Amino acid sequence: MDKLAKYKSMRSNDKTSEPFGGESPDSKKLVFVVQKHRATALHYDFRLEIDGVLVSWAIPRGPTLDSGVKRLAMQTEDHPLDYRNFEGQIPQGEYGGGDVIVWDRGTYIAQREASKDVRETIADKSDGDEVMLEGLKKGELKFLLDGKRLKGSFALVKTKGFPPGKKNAWLLIKHKDEFIKEGYDAKDEITSVVSKEVLP
Ligand code: MN
């Protein structure tokens, strides 16, 4: 099955400059990207490489390093790996029309909860893929991000019945560690981490 079938069905590659394929840039580590996207509504697209695609969530208020708040994250269609480099304009009238910058990017390590207190990290990339695929099925993902802005341990947890009628709702949660920043707000960082682009 083509995991990108839904992505492709939503876009015409003669009308948008968004990527349609790509390979993993790193043979040893899984990658992630966060894109700030000023479409009809501003949001941040949080994407984790899992089994050859970027599994994606739209986070209206953006990710945070504040462990005291949870951010609603709506799962969207899987994106191709080359999307991690995409910045620019999606034409108005096309799906997701509006500006995109790479707000954060880096690698990540999957985590398995061995017990309540000990979180086992998964160093091997293919084992990481497997743990993340299991987590997707269970509706609970744990991972260590190593980006320019986002660092440390996070969880994405699928909600049950909240918000009402939303089937794809998850919560992004920052675990307590040395990287927490109380009151951190994604909207205070308006620059791309890969270019000089600014998107307020
Ligand atoms: Mn988006």
Side-chain angles (χ1 to χ4, degrees):
M1 197 196 92
D2 181 1
K3 289 187 175 183
L4 296 174
K6 190 171 182 199
Y7 175 94
K8 290 172 185 165
S9 76
M10 295 165 90
R11 292 166 178 80
S12 352
N13 60 7
D14 55 340
K15 292 191 180 132
T16 180
S17 54
E18 292 165 285
F20 279 79
E23 310 234 312
S24 182
D26 194 314
S27 62
K28 294 246 160 52
K29 284 184 171 171
L30 296 163
V31 299
F32 82 97
V33 63
V34 182
Q35 277 144 326
K36 186 175 184 180
H37 184 186
R38 196 169 277 289
T40 315
L42 174 73
H43 60 273
Y44 297 74
D45 289 298
F46 184 83
R47 312 186 196 281
L48 295 170
E49 177 188 1
I50 301 176
D51 200 27
V53 292
L54 294 173
V55 179
S56 299
W57 290 262
I59 305 180
R61 296 189 61 192
T64 181
L65 291 168
D66 189 334
S67 62
V69 293
K70 299 178 171 81
R71 291 290 200 231
L72 181 66
M74 301 300 297
Q75 192 176 359
T76 59
E77 75 279 12
D78 294 346
H79 278 49
L81 281 165
D82 276 354
Y83 216 91
R84 66 188 287 281
N85 301 314
F86 179 70
E87 288 194 321
Q89 204 170 38
I90 302 171
Q92 294 303 335
E94 296 306 305
Y95 178 71
D99 292 325
V100 177
I101 60 165
V102 175
W103 185 85
D104 199 13
R105 203 168 69 170
T107 59
Y108 80 91
I109 297 172
Q111 290 179 291
R112 180 159 35 209
E113 206 145 48
S115 79
K116 274 187 183 152
D117 302 315
V118 183
R119 291 197 192 93
E120 185 192 345
T121 60
I122 312 296
D124 182 81
K125 180 167 173 165
S126 62
D127 290 349
D129 270 332
E130 219 168 280
V131 167
M132 294 300 280
L133 283 172
E134 284 167 27
L136 277 177
K137 274 189 217 147
K138 278 195 297 191
E140 195 166 348
L141 300 167
K142 295 187 187 74
F143 44 87
L144 285 171
L145 297 182
D146 186 12
K148 289 207 168 112
R149 290 177 175 148
L150 300 180
K151 290 179 191 292
S153 178
F154 290 78
L156 263 169
V157 181
K158 196 166 190 189
T159 67
K160 292 187 182 85
F162 171 83
K166 301 272 189 193
K167 278 186 184 157
N168 300 323
W170 296 58
L171 293 170
L172 180 66
I173 298 158
K174 176 81 194 81
H175 290 137
K176 280 190 181 148
D177 59 18
E178 68 266 41
F179 299 110
I180 59 168
K181 279 186 193 158
E182 208 183 310
Y184 184 98
D185 196 334
K187 75 172 177 350
D188 296 336
E189 315 258 27
I190 60 168
T191 55
S192 163
V193 294
V194 300
S195 71
K196 292 197 167 77
E197 292 299 322
V198 172
L199 183 59

